[in-house]
Amino acid sequence: MMMNRLILTALVTLLGAGTANASLSFQNGIKKQAVVIIPDTKKIVSIRGGAGPIEPVTAAKVVGAINIIQGAVCALSPKSNSEAYGLKEDDSPLTVKIMREAGLTVLFQGIIAYCLLFKGTSVNTAMGVASLLWSAESVKSLLDNDSETVGPSKVGSLSVLAFAGTCVYAGLT
């Protein structure tokens, strides 16, 4: 029960910490500037009460750090990570790719948590920085010609690259 509450608190922190309001509107032909809101993370995670005796921000930071460590291990060494989970019999290129991308997903979440909780960046910046991972993975997939061996198709990799690249550009500019 306590672990579920810890995970829920971290999820609320990562996903519900606030949204960036980055909109441009025209009123009487005058363009208004975009507004970016940097959330007060401590206030937001305190709403749910935290994870039992653990302070909410501390719990979210711990889960974020665990995500960074686990995601990095899984993404950088997918074969050894597969063995750790008992998948040593199935070391096919597809299994390695799935394990690597699962690690990138977890690392993506950890980077967002790090940016929001430790650096106090906006949600846009956190998403932009984390999206660099998927941009790099898509380029790697295209250069290694993964569509011929394990997939996805080149259209899939290009789609992910277009989306992640847009997130990087929007978040870091």
Side-chain angles (χ1 to χ4, degrees), residues 66-85 93 95-111 130 132-134 136-137 140 144 146:
I66 290 169
N67 279 359
I68 289 174
I69 294 166
Q70 175 61 36
V73 168
C74 191
L76 296 174
S77 182
K79 283 186 180 179
S80 63
N81 200 52
S82 294
E83 290 174 9
Y85 284 103
T95 300
V96 171
K97 183 169 179 68
I98 290 171
M99 190 61 75
R100 176 179 164 75
E101 291 188 353
L104 287 174
T105 301
V106 173
L107 184 57
F108 179 90
Q109 296 166 354
I111 289 172
L132 286 168
L133 292 172
W134 282 106
E137 177 64 17
K140 177 196 173 300
D144 288 348
D146 283 351

Side-chain angles (χ1 to χ4, degrees), residues 5 9 42-57:
R5 189 157 182 177
T9 301
K42 184 173 178 88
K43 179 181 172 187
I44 297 208
V45 295
S46 296
I47 291 171
R48 298 290 297 178
I54 303 172
E55 183 198 0
V57 174

Side-chain angles (χ1 to χ4, degrees), residues 90-161:
D90 184 15
D91 62 346
S92 68
L94 180 60
T95 300
V96 171
K97 183 169 179 68
I98 290 171
M99 190 61 75
R100 176 179 164 75
E101 291 188 353
L104 287 174
T105 301
V106 173
L107 184 57
F108 179 90
Q109 296 166 354
I111 289 172
I112 292 171
Y114 174 79
C115 289
L116 291 175
L117 298 172
F118 290 97
K119 292 297 191 180
T121 65
S122 69
V123 175
N124 287 355
T125 302
M127 290 296 291
V129 170
S131 293
L132 286 168
L133 292 172
W134 282 106
S135 296
E137 177 64 17
S138 298
V139 169
K140 177 196 173 300
S141 181
L142 289 166
L143 293 176
D144 288 348
N145 207 15
D146 283 351
S147 62
E148 300 295 321
T149 56
V150 294
S153 69
K154 287 186 179 183
V155 173
S157 293
L158 287 169
S159 298
V160 172
L161 179 59

Side-chain angles (χ1 to χ4, degrees), residues 30 38 73 75 133 169:
I30 300 171
I38 299 176
V73 168
L133 292 172
Y169 178 76

Side-chain angles (χ1 to χ4, degrees), residues 10-81:
L11 184 63
V12 167
T13 301
L14 297 176
L15 300 177
T19 57
N21 178 6
S23 62
L24 292 175
S25 62
F26 291 91
Q27 187 176 24
N28 298 330
I30 300 171
K31 185 165 96 173
K32 292 183 178 181
Q33 290 291 339
V35 177
V36 177
I37 299 170
I38 299 176
D40 181 5
T41 310
K42 184 173 178 88
K43 179 181 172 187
I44 297 208
V45 295
S46 296
I47 291 171
R48 298 290 297 178
I54 303 172
E55 183 198 0
V57 174
T58 303
K61 286 181 177 181
V62 168
V63 171
I66 290 169
N67 279 359
I68 289 174
I69 294 166
Q70 175 61 36
V73 168
C74 191
L76 296 174
S77 182
K79 283 186 180 179
S80 63
N81 200 52

